[in-house]
Amino acid sequence: MKNTTTTLKILKELLFRNILNILFFLLAIFFVVILKKTEIGQVEVIFLNVGQGDAILIQQGNYQILVDGGADDTVLYELAKYLPWYDKTIEKVVLTHPHADHINGLLLVLKNYTVGEVYYNPVEYPNLAYEYLKDTYNDILVEIKSGDVLEYEDIYGVALYPFEGEKIQEKNVNNSSVVMLFVLNGYKVLLMGDAEAELEEKLLDYTFLEGIDILKAGHHCSRTSSSISFLSFTQPTVAVCMCGIGNSLGHPHYETLEKFEKMNVQYFVTYRDGNIRFRF
Ligand SMILES: [Zn+2]
């Protein structure tokens, strides 16, 4: 009898101790989850190596902006490396212009993620993917124009082109690219889409572009972009060329890389350097 009472007493004590342990464990998990949710974390920009094409992810915590989506499904694999596993929402998407190497991958992103809005410049251009985008996602398409702002915590993005109120149908659709300046925790990141020298010239009135930190150089570092006058004006510290290895256009053109070297601009090329990530 005495033995049974002692055993019961020990069992009771063990149970009591374990209940406390279990409670403590649950409480710890609760705090970890809550803290993880409230911690916003650093802001980052990642130039995704999607072959010949652009796909640029800007994110802070659970908030993402994706500028272009590359030419194929590579973007899905690259995004999965950086987005939190539980996050299937991309808040904002920007399509700079409807060329295949910018829009095709975006359609797959739209299929696989919940997207808040797709900002674009509604130029006319014969491309099936573009037609599909306009037909299928009309409810989330938003026309973007200079002065429009995308903002969240340490992310401040402003559209510089197309100009508000200006309706120009460029023959060369590269020069209809949406140009965005992002200020990420104070650092200036200029995304040129496929803008060439003609469009660069139109931006020379924006004095706040004098001295930027990162330039996503226009049109995959083609010789027709990143003019001397634009580079002298913006004085980027770093330039990024988004190119696929052995691409048929020969990007990046050596003339552009030479200009970077002459002007002391450090440059990265996605096919050589892979995903290029900056955290601020
Ligand atoms: Zn392109």
Side-chain angles (χ1 to χ4, degrees):
M1 189 67 192
K2 202 180 167 193
N3 270 351
T4 322
T5 320
T6 321
T7 316
L8 273 174
K9 220 175 159 188
I10 291 169
L11 272 175
K12 223 173 159 185
E13 222 166 86
L14 269 175
L15 194 70
F16 180 69
R17 240 186 245 165
N18 279 337
I19 281 175
L20 279 184
N21 281 342
I22 289 166
L23 277 178
F24 183 74
F25 182 67
L26 288 175
L27 209 64
I29 286 183
F30 176 75
F31 274 114
V32 165
V33 170
I34 292 289
L35 284 176
K36 189 118 190 105
K37 278 206 163 165
T38 49
E39 176 203 307
I40 296 159
Q42 268 181 301
V43 56
E44 59 184 354
V45 56
I46 307 158
F47 299 89
L48 299 171
N49 179 22
V50 292
Q52 182 69 6
D54 281 10
I56 302 139
L57 174 68
I58 291 160
Q59 76 170 342
Q60 187 167 25
N62 293 341
Y63 183 93
Q64 286 87 18
I65 300 172
L66 179 69
V67 180
D68 290 333
D72 55 28
D73 62 352
T74 314
V75 65
L76 296 179
Y77 297 99
E78 299 310 319
L79 281 176
K81 293 178 186 170
Y82 300 102
L83 258 70
W85 60 269
Y86 52 85
D87 189 0
K88 294 287 172 227
T89 302
I90 294 177
E91 278 68 13
K92 314 278 181 195
V93 160
V94 179
L95 170 68
T96 60
H97 66 297
H99 275 157
D101 57 323
H102 298 254
I103 192 174
N104 284 6
L106 268 193
L107 293 182
L108 296 166
V109 169
L110 284 161
K111 257 204 180 114
N112 286 274
Y113 288 88
T114 304
V115 171
E117 280 98 29
V118 181
Y119 294 89
Y120 81 126
N121 179 13
V123 288
E124 277 169 39
Y125 185 73
N127 175 339
L128 280 180
Y130 189 39
E131 292 311 315
Y132 183 83
L133 174 83
K134 288 191 283 185
D135 288 346
T136 316
Y137 297 100
N138 185 43
D139 54 328
I140 55 168
L141 278 178
V142 182
E143 180 177 349
I144 196 166
K145 42 205 169 0
S146 59
D148 289 348
V149 167
L150 305 181
E151 217 174 348
Y152 174 81
E153 296 295 335
D154 298 325
I155 300 173
Y156 176 85
V158 60
L160 305 184
Y161 195 84
F163 295 138
E164 156 120 65
E166 189 188 71
K167 279 263 176 278
I168 298 177
Q169 179 67 43
E170 293 284 349
K171 253 196 204 151
N172 175 1
V173 82
N174 284 342
N175 286 328
S176 296
S177 288
V178 173
V179 176
M180 300 276 310
L181 174 72
F182 282 93
V183 183
L184 306 176
N185 201 12
Y187 289 86
K188 290 182 188 173
V189 181
L190 181 59
L191 306 182
M192 297 297 294
D194 274 0
E196 300 185 44
E198 295 85 339
L199 175 46
E200 289 173 353
E201 217 177 297
K202 292 184 180 180
L203 305 176
L204 299 179
D205 284 337
Y206 288 121
T207 49
F208 51 78
L209 291 182
E210 291 170 340
I212 59 163
D213 296 287
I214 300 170
L215 169 72
K216 199 302 290 183
H219 200 212
H220 319 281
C221 289
S222 149
R223 63 174 73 84
T224 53
S225 302
S226 305
S227 65
I228 293 278
S229 56
F230 191 65
L231 289 179
S232 314
F233 178 65
T234 53
Q235 293 178 39
T237 308
V238 166
V240 176
C241 302
M242 303 195 75
C243 314
I245 194 150
N247 67 81
S248 58
L249 298 161
H251 294 153
H253 288 153
Y254 75 90
E255 294 94 325
T256 308
L257 302 183
E258 251 178 12
K259 276 184 251 172
F260 292 151
E261 271 162 31
K262 259 190 205 152
M263 302 182 83
N264 276 327
V265 180
Q266 187 189 4
Y267 65 85
F268 296 92
V269 185
T270 46
Y271 76 63
R272 186 190 70 189
D273 302 307
N275 294 334
I276 300 155
R277 184 184 200 183
F278 299 91
R279 310 185 85 182
F280 307 103

